[in-house]
Amino acid sequence: MTNLLLIDAGTIEWSRAQFALTAIYHWLFVPLTLGLAVIMGIMETCYYRTKDTFWKDAAKFWQKLFGINFAMGIATGIILEFEFGTNWSNYSWFVGDIFGAPLAVEGIVAFFMESTFVAVMYFGWNKVSRGFHLASTWLTGLGATISAWWILVANAWMQYPVGCEFNPDTMRHEMVSFSEVALSPFAISKFCHTVTSAWIVGAVFCVGVCCWYLMKKRDTRLALESLKIGAIVGLVASLLAAATGHKSAQDVAEVQPMKLAAMEALYNGGTDVGLTAVAWVNPFSQPDYANDESAPLKIEMPYALSFMATNDIHGYVPGINDLLNGYTKPDGTREPSIDEKIERGKKAIVALADYRKARQEGVPVDSLGAQLATINENMKYFGYGYIKDKDQVVPYIPINFWAFRIMVGIGCLLILFFAIVIAGAYKWPAKLWQKRDITSLPHWHYWVAIALIPLAYIASESGWLVAEFGRQPWTIQDMLPTWVAVSDLHSSSVIITFFLFLILFTTMLAVEINILIKQIKKGPDYSA
Amino acid sequence: MRKDSFIYRFFNLYYEGFRDMKLGRTLWTIILIKLFIMFAILKVFFFPNFLKEHAPGNESSYVATELIDRAEP
């Protein structure tokens, strides 16, 4: 028999750290794959339309960089599945059927689409028609994007569990509606925001590489034409990411209001709430949200948070204390306090224990209607039954607050950057660019563009930090906290694998960067 | 087999593609080493299926016990 007190506290934190490490490393590879897929697709489309071999060489060059990143990223996500089975076995069992379906579809689709079309893309030049080759290039990118879709469906389900029913006999959530799971609004918003942000990373990478060529005064045509495509993709993607981010924020406001409150360090909610531009939130300690009115040195944009969360500048946004103590929503319904939710969670767990005991004693299911009804009525708050102190449901505010600002800040910077690059590439307005040429600017201009590559990654990873830290302590929103989801392991075994992964992934990253730099320095192979 | 048949052309696409690889050889070597480390070392020695090891065939009862007991004050 295991009691929570006997679970090694280090196991929880190390398992979380290990999962975060592998997910963060995995996400270093994925956005560039999705982003470069669009860039190389556009290049090859130009070749298809113009028959100019320059575009074929350009497409092949970007496909080569895509291939390096793709090869390095392959299977890095599988480690997350290893961790589910070993470190998070209670979680894995509890969600099994729901989580398994999207991941299985992802595996099958990714394998068949990518193995077929990647092969045609790399091996098929001069062997298949130009049209079929072009289709294969786009389908390679589409395959990777569809893979991302299923992974994000699985992730979205953890944040907003829908389309399922808990079976107390099997102790698993069972899928009752595949469409509800696969087409959950939360998943759709998450997919759109994640994929558009990945396009930004690809575009920044493309523009950065082009700027390096321009700085070195080599491969100028490739650099200039690629720069134009990269900057246009980047600007469109940045604007789309801003729009999809707005929708994501509304979803979060609706189903994970505590995450939104933590992102904003909003201790006490209300109507007409402003969006915090900056405030002093100590990065190293949880604020005293129970006693402070708001974060100090706060500068806010009036009404913007209400608009972001509700599409109405006067909309009501609950703060952390409202969520802890319960509040009345604008539609008159009451959101229970955490204490009330804890009571309901405990009821569900007690009813589950009674049900399981009775079943072991051979009592037929028909006679256990009361227990089943209690479980079903309170399953929504099942996880609260493990909460000992209501402060446990407040995520670590500083990480959410700063990660959100880093993501949005860099995102805004990139919109400006792409707009300037497009203006420079197309010499608009002509008067401003009369004496300047984007191919011969002072070097620091190009270094700024190159420096934005890591910043784009930081923004992308920050988005994931908000998504995942913001839902703490839940592995499944409101149903399963981390300390119940984790396996009864000794922390030492998790620590060993944590460092093994750190070494493995860092080596892979170093190898990738090394090969990428070599190939960029080598440049494209031009047709004779 | 006729050289213009679909199966031959399909096979030939992969055969010549793999044969003529340059950078691809390095990448495939890295992929294979990585997969070996992941599946033959990490999965086998460090990432056993916890429930299959601790409660083979009885996973639901094990998880039920875990979930119920961890709620105790």
Side-chain angles (χ1 to χ4, degrees), chain B residues 50-63:
Chain B
F50 184 88
L51 289 178
K52 285 215 168 91
E53 274 199 350
H54 287 77
N58 201 22
E59 290 92 345
S60 60
S61 295
Y62 181 88
V63 173

Side-chain angles (χ1 to χ4, degrees), chain A residues 9 30-31 39-40 80 109 120 215 236 263 307 324 328 371 377 409 470 477 511 520:
Chain A
V30 178
I39 305 275
M40 68 189 192
L80 297 170
V109 169
V120 175
M215 187 168 68
V236 171
M263 280 158 60
F307 177 74
L324 292 178
T328 303
Q371 286 85 347
E377 272 168 29
Q477 186 70 36
V511 170
I520 291 166

Side-chain angles (χ1 to χ4, degrees), chain A residues 1-4 7 64 68 71-72 74-75 78-79 82-83 85-86 89-90 93-94 115-116 119 123-124 127 170-171 349 353 356 386 388 483-484 486 488-489 497 500-501 508 511 515 519, chain B residues 9-10 12-18 20-21 23 26-28 30-31 34-35 37-39 42-43 46-51 54 59-73:
Chain A
M1 186 178 282
T2 312
N3 188 290
L4 179 57
I7 296 287
K64 188 159 59 177
I68 295 165
M72 292 299 151
I74 281 178
I78 287 176
I79 288 178
F82 293 175
E83 289 169 31
T86 303
S89 58
N90 291 339
W93 186 264
F94 198 62
S115 62
T116 307
F123 301 158
K127 286 195 175 71
T170 61
M171 288 300 294
I349 295 170
R356 297 279 310 181
Y386 300 98
K388 305 280 182 263
W483 56 88
V484 182
V486 75
D488 187 12
L489 290 168
T497 48
L500 277 175
F501 284 151
M508 277 198 306
V511 170
I515 297 175
Q519 291 303 320
Chain B
R9 283 165 57 207
F10 183 79
N12 201 42
L13 176 85
Y14 283 87
Y15 176 75
E16 288 189 356
F18 280 114
D20 299 337
M21 281 189 311
L23 174 65
T26 311
L27 297 178
W28 271 107
I30 293 168
I31 290 172
K34 184 170 62 176
L35 291 177
I37 293 171
M38 283 179 186
F39 287 98
L42 292 174
K43 177 66 184 159
F46 295 99
F47 285 95
N49 186 313
F50 184 88
L51 289 178
H54 287 77
E59 290 92 345
S60 60
S61 295
Y62 181 88
V63 173
T65 307
E66 287 275 299
L67 262 58
I68 291 164
D69 288 352
R70 288 190 193 191
E72 285 179 355

